[in-house]
Amino acid sequence: MKLFSLVVLYKTDKVDILKSAADLSSFGYFQRSSVQEFMLFTSKLLAERTQPGQRVSVKEQDYLCHIYIRADGLASVLVADHEYPARVAFTVLTKTLDDFTDAVPRSSWSPGQANIFNLDELLSKYQNPKDADPMMKVQADLDETKVVLHNTIETVLQRGEKLDDLVQKSDNLSYSSRAFYTTAKKTNQCCIVM
C-alpha cells in the first residue's frame, strides 16, 4: 500500500493547483519528473470533470485516483496504488481539506499562495492506512487478537487430547493393577501368613 501524490486544488470556472506533494521514491530518477507531471495533469483533469460535493475513485493504469470536491470548490486528489483502501483514502482527503482550510485563509486560495501548508508531512504520515483511519487500527488489533485466541484454543484442544491420552493410560493402568491384584490374591490363597 503506497500513496504517490496528494494535491489540493481550487475549482471555480477553472481549476488551480494550490499545493501538491509527491512521494516518487519508487520510480527511477529519470522517470520522476514525467510521473509527477502525469499525476498533476490527472489531478487537474479529474477536478475539472467532478462535480462539487462528490467523492470519486478512478483507475488510471496501475493507480487509483481518489478525488473529493467540497461545495466551496476546494478539492483534493490522492493517487495511490490499488491496495490502498478507498475508505481510508477519502478519510485522508477530508482531513487534508479540513487542515488546509484551518491553515490557509480563503483569501490565499490561489496558486503560489498556500506555501504555509505542508502536504509532504501529511503524505508521509498517511502512508500507513492504520495511521489515517482509527477503524483500520481497531480492525488490525481485532485481527491480532483473533490470531492469539485461535492459538490459545488450539493449545487448549491439544491439552485436552493429552488429557484424554492420560485418562486412557490410567484406565489401562487401573485395569492392569486390578488384574495384578486378583492374580496376586489367587496366588497368595495357598499361603497363609500367621
Side-chain angles (χ1 to χ4, degrees):
M1 291 183 258
K2 178 122 173 100
L3 298 179
F4 297 106
S5 174
L6 184 59
V7 183
V8 176
L9 308 104
Y10 185 50
K11 181 178 182 178
T12 52
D13 53 338
K14 62 180 182 134
V15 176
D16 293 320
I17 296 176
L18 302 180
K19 191 75 174 166
S20 68
D23 179 3
L24 305 175
S25 58
S26 59
F27 297 98
Y29 180 77
F30 296 108
Q31 294 175 318
R32 291 180 186 170
S33 62
S34 302
V35 170
Q36 187 168 15
E37 274 183 47
F38 158 76
M39 289 183 186
L40 290 175
F41 173 76
T42 303
S43 299
K44 199 168 180 179
L45 186 65
L46 285 173
E48 288 172 356
R49 295 184 180 181
T50 305
Q51 297 300 316
Q54 287 189 325
R55 297 172 189 262
V56 179
S57 293
V58 177
K59 185 173 184 342
E60 177 62 35
Q61 295 178 9
D62 293 335
Y63 311 104
L64 268 177
C65 304
H66 306 280
I67 182 168
Y68 172 48
I69 301 182
R70 294 193 321 194
D72 61 1
L74 193 62
S76 187
V77 178
L78 179 74
V79 180
D81 62 3
H82 65 280
E83 294 176 359
Y84 203 85
R87 187 176 57 75
V88 178
F90 287 117
T91 301
V92 171
L93 291 175
T94 303
K95 285 181 182 178
T96 300
L97 292 178
D98 291 344
D99 292 350
F100 185 84
T101 305
D102 292 342
V104 180
R106 190 179 180 110
S107 60
S108 298
W109 290 3
S110 57
Q113 298 294 318
N115 293 332
I116 58 171
F117 190 66
N118 190 356
L119 271 182
D120 292 315
E121 187 178 302
L122 287 174
L123 188 66
S124 63
K125 178 181 178 184
Y126 295 130
Q127 285 293 335
N128 185 357
K130 294 175 196 166
D131 295 339
D133 188 31
M135 286 282 265
M136 208 64 185
K137 189 172 188 172
V138 168
Q139 184 64 42
D141 290 345
L142 283 173
D143 290 344
E144 186 178 319
T145 304
K146 195 165 100 177
V147 167
V148 169
L149 186 62
H150 281 292
N151 289 341
T152 304
I153 289 172
E154 192 173 303
T155 304
V156 167
L157 290 175
Q158 287 175 351
R159 261 192 238 148
E161 290 173 5
K162 290 179 183 175
L163 285 175
D164 289 344
D165 290 346
L166 285 174
V167 168
Q168 181 66 32
K169 287 178 182 177
S170 69
D171 286 345
N172 291 343
L173 183 60
S174 177
Y175 177 74
S176 298
S177 64
R178 271 191 240 127
F180 175 75
Y181 174 74
T182 52
T183 306
K185 192 173 182 182
K186 286 180 187 174
T187 307
N188 289 339
Q189 280 180 351
C190 66
C191 307
I192 298 178
V193 178
M194 298 194 172

